[in-house]
């Protein structure tokens, strides 16, 4: 009891010392057990029912100060189960104590070492926090801040990209956005946007920016919510005005951007074209702080990423393409000489600036050839991309590869700038040893560099790309399997026989079958595309079928018998048509009655594409200028093929009709 009696005096002194001395804060979590005990005592007193409300409040204040120390401090507090203790404290009626607990919780949850899921461990916590929103402007500020930091969504992966942060989904159950939405977050927080407190407004705004991101349900709801007779999008647009603080303009723009990308606001809506986009371009100007320029560019990249018209508008707004070139000029040599603090600041943001610029250039150049040309003609642009591919920062490397991928969609640039700067060399280096996130985009870019008209195709082949790409087809990552087989498909197009043989050798028959039985239709289609490219030109067809014919015919049979879509079966029949065009290879079809019956079946199929593909097979088999054509024609006539051709010659489909008549002429010649 003596300890408790003395505590109020010691606590008031401690709170003053703690708030002013980082050294003391850090010492409280020293490895010395005696010092650790002091921090534990605060938590003990906080939870004691015999402690006065004033003492408990003081404990919460001091614990909040401790949480502002190092990350180790926060870890130690978490180990002492501070979060359940503070959440329990929210059940007491005293407002000052509740505010102190919330302030401490806010400080702990904004720390990167605190798992967000701790907020959702008890299903009743969110409901109680929603109820506390009405208690005071401090409860509103702290709770909204807690929500915005603890609202994480599912990680998204694709060859495309998102420019905004994409944290992980909580392990089990609904994601955080859904939990908050289902507990009435939109309705409970909306009115806070018109609060008289700027801090409350901002935290509510930040909360909506994370709730709406990649979430159509929340975005569609926000669009129809009104506060004091004004719809939320109108309130967000007012917050974009130039007389508002930059932080408010940026966060409002993020809200409208998320709502637009989620489909709640049209891309041609005036609030996007005339308000949000110009605001974000403004944030990229030299007048803004470096961190504001980063956030502005990344948000703008996300806004325009998938819309051609927004890309065009952005590209001609305030000389944006030229403006972004300035992002690569940090740290400047002047700041290094004159101002050490400025240099430190520039260094801190230099990587983020380059990353943001690459992302925005990637979005700008995603579709329009003229925009790509302007980007590449920007001061030292190709050199900057090449340098970006070898940066120490993974995020910058990834953004640089994305930018390169976007620009590689240009036939003109593949033939000129990409060749002049030998872009394939650093790209191949990136592919040698990189995390999957970079590998996915880099291998997508390689697919473009391996197109037939690309001058880079030859040197890439000579650098050992086949082995690399064959290894990608064995990846557990779906996108890497698709890209690996896609690149091989491009590589095989009109290639020499040696290259085709190297591809087949590198893949192995076993791996080829594995790809043909892949559950993903994209992998299957690209593998069939590869086979089709390999089996082109007669000498190549005959050579490949002489070494791999049995396995290929087996694979074709399995696919035609399987439950596959029309496109897959059409591609498979086209492969058979190529085999039928071979000199010796066609005998593998003629001696396989099962395959012949399947071709006959598809000639009478209800789908015209499959009928036409089957007709190509027949035409190649019966062409009478080739040796053995008479025997093949007789066998197919005996199977009833000629009767089907007569029926098809009366088809209302002009392609089928013409093809059938051409085939019948081979019998008459």
């Amino acid at each position: 009891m003596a300890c408790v009696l003395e505590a109020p005096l010691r606590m008031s002194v401690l709170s003053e010392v703690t708030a002013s001395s980082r050294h003391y804060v850090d010492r409280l979590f020293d490895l010395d057990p005696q010092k650790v005990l002091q921090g534990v005592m605060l938590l003990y007193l906080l939870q004691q029912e015999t402690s006065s409300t004033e003492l408990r409040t003081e404990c919460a204040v001091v614990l909040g100060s401790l949480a502002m120390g190092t990350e180790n401090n926060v870890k130690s507090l978490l180990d002492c189960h501070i979060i359940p203790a503070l959440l329990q404290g929210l059940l007491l009626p005293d407002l000052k104590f509740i505010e102190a607990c919330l302030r401490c919780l806010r400080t702990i949850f904004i720390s990167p070492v605190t798992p967000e899921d701790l907020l959702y461990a008890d299903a009743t916590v969110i409901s109680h926090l929603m109820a506390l929103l009405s208690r005071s402007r401090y409860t509103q500020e702290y709770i909204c801040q807690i929500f915005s930091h603890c609202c994480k969504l599912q990680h998204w992966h694709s060859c495309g990209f998102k420019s905004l942060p994409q944290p992980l989904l909580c392990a089990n159950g609904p994601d955080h956005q859904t939990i908050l939405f289902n507990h009435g977050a939109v309705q409970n927080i909306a009115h806070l946007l018109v609060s008289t407190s700027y801090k409350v407004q901002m935290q509510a705004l930040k909360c909506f920016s994370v709730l709406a991101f990649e979430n159509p349900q929340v975005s569609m709801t926000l669009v129809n919510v009104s506060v004091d007779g004004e719809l939320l999008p109108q309130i967000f647009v007012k917050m974009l005005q130039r007389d508002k603080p930059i932080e408010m303009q940026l966060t409002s723009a993020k809200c409208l951007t998320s709502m637009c990308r989620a489909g709640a606001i049209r891309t041609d809506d005036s609030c996007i074209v005339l308000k949000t986009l110009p605001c974000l371009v403004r944030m990229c100007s030299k007048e803004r702080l470096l961190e504001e320029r980063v956030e502005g560019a990344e948000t703008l990249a996300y806004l325009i990423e998938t819309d051609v018209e927004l890309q065009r508008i952005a590209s001609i707004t305030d000389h944006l393409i030229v403006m972004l070139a300035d992002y690569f000029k940090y740290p400047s040599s002047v700041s290094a000489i004159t101002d050490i603090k400025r240099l430190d600041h520039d260094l801190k943001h230099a990587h983020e600036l380059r990353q943001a610029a690459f992302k925005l250039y990637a979005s700008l150049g995603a579709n329009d050839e003229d925009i790509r040309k302007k980007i590449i003609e920007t001061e030292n642009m190709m050199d900057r991309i090449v340098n970006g591919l070898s940066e120490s920062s993974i995020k910058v490397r990834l953004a640089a590869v994305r930018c390169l991928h976007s620009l590689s969609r240009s036939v003109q640039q593949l033939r000129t700038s990409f060749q002049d700067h030998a872009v394939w060399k650093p790209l191949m280096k990136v592919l040698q040893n990189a995390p999957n996130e970079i590998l996915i985009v880099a291998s997508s870019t390689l697919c473009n560099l391996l197109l037939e008209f690309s001058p880079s195709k030859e040197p890439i082949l000579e650098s050992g790309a086949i082995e690399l790409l064959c290894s990608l087809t064995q990846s557990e990552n779906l996108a890497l399997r698709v890209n690996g087989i896609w690149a091989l498909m491009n590589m095989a197009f009109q290639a020499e026989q040696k290259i085709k043989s190297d591809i087949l050798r590198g893949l192995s028959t076993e791996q080829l079958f594995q790809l043909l039985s892949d559950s993903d239709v994209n992998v299957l289609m690209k593998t069939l595309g590869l086979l089709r490219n390999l089996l082109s030109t007669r000498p190549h067809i005959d050579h490949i079928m002489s070494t791999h014919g049995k396995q290929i015919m087996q694979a074709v049979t399995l696919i035609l018998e399987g439950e596959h879509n029309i496109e897959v079966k059409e591609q498979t029949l086209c492969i058979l048509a190529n085999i039928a065009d071979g000199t010796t290879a066609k005998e593998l079809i003629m001696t396989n009655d099962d395959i012949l019956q399947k071709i006959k079946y598809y000639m009478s199929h209800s789908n015209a594409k499959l009928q036409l593909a089957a007709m190509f097979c027949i035409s190649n088999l019966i062409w009478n200028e080739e040796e053995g054509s008479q025997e093949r024609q007789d066998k197919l006539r005996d199977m009833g093929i000629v009767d089907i051709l007569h029926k098809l010659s009366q088809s209302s489909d002009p392609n089928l009709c013409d093809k059938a008549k051409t085939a019948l002429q081979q019998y008459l010649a």
Side-chain angles (χ1 to χ4, degrees):
M1 287 298 290
C3 180
V4 175
L5 288 171
E6 291 175 6
L9 175 60
R10 284 161 52 193
M11 284 297 141
S12 61
V13 173
L14 186 57
S15 63
E16 184 180 334
V17 174
T18 306
S20 62
S21 172
R22 174 65 176 267
H23 174 64
Y24 185 81
V25 168
D26 293 343
R27 277 200 306 117
L28 268 178
F29 287 103
D30 195 284
L31 292 177
D32 183 342
Q34 187 59 41
K35 292 173 182 173
V36 173
L37 185 62
Q38 297 178 52
V40 176
M41 275 300 296
L42 294 172
L43 267 174
Y44 174 77
L45 292 171
L46 178 81
Q47 297 175 82
Q48 290 306 299
E49 292 181 9
T50 53
S51 298
S52 66
T53 303
E54 291 77 9
L55 175 57
R56 287 173 137 184
T57 303
E58 196 71 22
C59 286
V61 170
V62 177
L63 286 166
S65 296
L66 292 174
M68 291 178 188
T70 64
E71 289 183 0
N72 282 336
N73 291 10
V74 178
K75 286 178 183 176
S76 297
L77 288 170
L78 291 172
D79 289 342
C80 293
H81 307 292
I82 188 172
I83 289 179
L86 291 169
L87 291 174
Q88 192 66 27
L90 299 180
L91 299 174
L92 296 182
D94 187 83
L95 182 57
K96 291 293 180 188
F97 179 54
I98 289 172
E99 289 173 350
C101 288
L102 285 171
R103 187 161 49 245
C104 186
L105 281 166
R106 179 272 315 267
T107 305
I108 289 168
F109 274 118
I110 64 176
S111 169
V113 302
T114 306
E116 296 84 7
D117 284 344
L118 291 175
L119 184 68
Y120 305 92
D122 184 339
T124 63
V125 168
I126 303 300
S127 298
H128 189 62
L129 289 173
M130 293 293 179
L132 290 175
L133 275 169
S134 60
R135 293 293 298 272
S136 74
R137 70 182 182 90
Y138 294 113
T139 62
Q140 291 167 351
E141 177 190 342
Y142 303 146
I143 291 171
C144 284
Q145 198 169 359
I146 289 167
F147 285 163
S148 63
H149 277 277
C150 294
C151 183
K152 305 302 180 188
L153 60 154
Q154 189 166 14
H155 189 69
W156 182 89
H157 224 5
S158 155
C159 288
F161 72 96
K162 304 297 176 198
S163 301
L164 301 183
Q166 294 155 69
L168 295 172
L169 178 74
C170 48
N172 298 299
D175 61 85
H176 302 159
Q177 286 177 323
T178 303
I179 294 170
L180 293 174
F181 178 79
N182 289 343
H183 279 85
V186 172
Q187 294 74 15
N188 284 304
I189 296 172
H191 71 280
L192 303 182
L193 291 170
V194 294
S195 168
T196 54
S197 164
Y198 173 75
K199 287 184 177 180
V200 171
Q201 278 186 301
M202 272 312 305
Q203 294 308 327
L205 198 55
K206 287 178 180 178
C207 205
F208 281 135
S209 77
V210 295
L211 276 171
F213 181 61
E214 290 284 304
N215 194 312
Q217 184 184 31
V218 173
S219 296
M220 291 293 186
T221 304
L222 287 177
V223 130
N224 296 309
V225 171
S226 62
V227 178
D228 296 343
E230 200 166 24
L231 289 170
L232 286 194
Q234 295 172 317
I235 294 174
F236 293 148
V237 168
K238 282 186 176 179
M239 291 176 164
L240 287 175
Q241 293 173 0
R242 291 171 185 257
D243 61 338
K244 300 296 182 186
I246 296 299
E247 180 189 30
M248 180 172 278
Q249 291 183 51
L250 255 175
T251 313
S252 301
K254 287 171 77 172
C255 288
L256 289 163
T257 293
S258 291
M259 292 165 72
C260 178
R261 284 300 305 268
I265 300 176
R266 289 168 55 99
T267 55
D268 59 357
D269 192 294
S270 61
C271 77
I272 298 298
V273 178
L274 302 179
K275 300 293 182 182
T276 308
L277 189 148
C279 170
L280 290 171
V281 173
R282 279 201 311 274
M283 296 302 146
C284 298
S285 69
K286 282 185 178 181
E287 286 70 41
R288 299 271 53 88
L289 297 174
L290 298 188
E291 45 267 53
E292 293 165 356
R293 296 175 77 184
V294 168
E295 196 168 0
E298 293 211 338
T299 308
L300 182 57
Y302 179 50
L303 174 66
I304 69 173
E305 183 188 1
T306 58
D307 191 90
V308 181
E309 193 55 35
L310 287 181
Q311 289 160 11
R312 288 177 183 153
I313 294 168
S315 72
I316 57 171
T317 303
D318 293 348
H319 307 287
L320 176 64
I321 291 175
V322 176
M323 191 194 301
L324 283 176
D326 187 65
Y327 278 48
F328 296 95
K329 296 177 182 177
Y330 294 88
S332 64
S333 55
V334 176
S335 67
I337 297 168
T338 60
D339 188 344
I340 296 300
K341 279 189 176 180
R342 169 72 184 276
L343 173 63
D344 184 58
H345 179 263
D346 287 4
L347 280 169
K348 182 181 176 184
H349 292 286
H351 285 146
E352 294 175 359
L353 283 162
R354 289 196 292 278
Q355 178 189 347
F358 282 137
K359 282 183 177 180
L360 186 44
Y361 276 137
S363 285
L364 284 164
N367 294 286
D368 191 281
E369 187 65 25
D370 290 335
I371 297 175
R372 291 189 195 115
K373 189 170 183 291
K374 286 179 185 175
I375 292 170
I376 285 175
E377 289 173 352
T378 303
E379 181 185 356
N380 302 323
M381 191 61 211
M382 289 306 292
D383 289 333
R384 283 168 175 158
I385 294 173
V386 169
N387 291 336
L389 295 176
S390 58
E391 284 227 15
S392 58
S393 165
I394 288 179
K395 289 182 178 180
V396 177
R397 286 210 308 276
L398 177 58
V401 174
R402 283 170 173 163
C403 185
L404 190 67
H405 179 241
S406 181
L407 299 175
S408 73
R409 293 171 181 150
S410 163
V411 175
Q412 180 64 27
Q413 300 310 327
L414 283 174
R415 287 174 170 164
T416 54
S417 300
F418 276 56
Q419 183 66 7
D420 295 342
H421 291 81
V423 168
W424 66 270
K425 288 183 181 178
L427 184 65
M428 287 298 290
K429 193 174 179 182
V430 167
L431 282 161
Q432 298 303 323
N433 184 24
N436 278 2
E437 197 173 9
I438 291 179
L439 270 180
I440 289 166
V441 191
S443 54
S444 283
T445 310
L446 193 64
C447 288
N448 293 342
L449 267 65
L450 285 168
L451 289 166
E452 181 240 344
F453 48 74
S454 168
S456 302
K457 182 174 182 177
E458 191 77 25
I460 289 172
L461 280 167
E462 292 169 1
S463 69
I466 292 177
E467 185 182 349
L468 170 71
L469 295 171
C470 288
S471 70
L472 288 184
T473 67
Q474 299 176 37
S475 172
E476 291 182 7
N477 184 286
L478 172 60
L480 288 178
R481 288 205 306 282
V482 171
N483 289 348
I485 201 68
W486 195 337
L488 288 170
M489 182 185 79
N490 288 351
M491 188 184 282
F493 182 73
Q494 294 185 354
E496 297 173 2
Q497 185 171 303
K498 181 185 180 303
I499 292 169
K500 292 181 177 180
S501 297
D502 288 346
I503 291 172
L504 277 171
R505 196 177 303 112
L507 269 183
S508 79
T509 307
E510 184 184 349
Q511 178 59 13
L512 192 61
F513 268 94
Q514 194 72 33
L515 292 165
L516 288 170
S517 58
D518 199 287
S519 59
D520 184 79
V521 71
N522 289 320
V523 173
L524 178 54
M525 282 295 286
K526 293 295 177 286
T527 308
L528 291 170
L530 168 62
L531 272 177
R532 193 172 169 182
N533 286 349
L534 290 170
L535 295 166
S536 62
T537 73
R538 284 183 180 174
H540 297 178
I541 294 168
D542 290 335
H543 175 76
I544 290 170
M545 292 306 290
S546 70
T547 55
H548 295 81
K550 183 181 177 182
Q551 295 91 337
I552 289 172
M553 295 302 288
Q554 187 181 345
V556 165
T557 305
L558 287 171
I559 292 169
L560 290 177
E561 287 177 349
E563 295 293 322
H564 296 290
N565 62 34
I566 297 297
E567 288 72 23
V568 167
K569 295 202 172 184
E570 180 190 17
Q571 188 84 303
T572 307
L573 287 167
C574 286
I575 289 169
L576 274 179
N578 283 13
I579 295 169
D581 193 39
T583 303
T584 57
K586 55 168 53 79
E587 288 308 310
L588 287 166
I589 297 177
M590 292 305 300
T591 56
N592 190 324
D593 289 342
D594 187 25
I595 285 288
L596 288 174
Q597 288 297 332
K598 284 178 170 54
I599 294 171
K600 179 183 176 182
Y601 166 77
Y602 283 109
M603 285 178 73
S604 303
H605 199 276
S606 58
N607 185 279
K609 285 183 178 180
L610 295 182
Q611 287 180 287
L612 199 58
M615 292 270 287
F616 273 108
C617 296
I618 296 299
S619 293
N620 286 344
L621 290 172
I622 65 174
W623 205 255
N624 58 32
E625 293 176 4
E626 296 171 7
E627 188 180 343
S629 61
Q630 189 61 55
E631 291 83 355
R632 289 192 294 274
Q633 286 181 8
D634 292 345
K635 180 171 183 176
L636 293 173
R637 180 190 280 112
D638 293 343
M639 286 178 60
I641 295 296
V642 174
D643 295 336
I644 299 173
L645 288 174
H646 278 298
K647 286 181 184 177
L648 291 173
S649 67
Q650 307 299 317
S651 171
S652 58
D653 186 306
N655 290 327
L656 279 175
C657 179
D658 290 347
K659 197 69 182 170
K661 287 178 180 177
T662 303
L664 285 170
Q665 284 173 5
Q666 298 303 307
Y667 277 94
L668 298 173

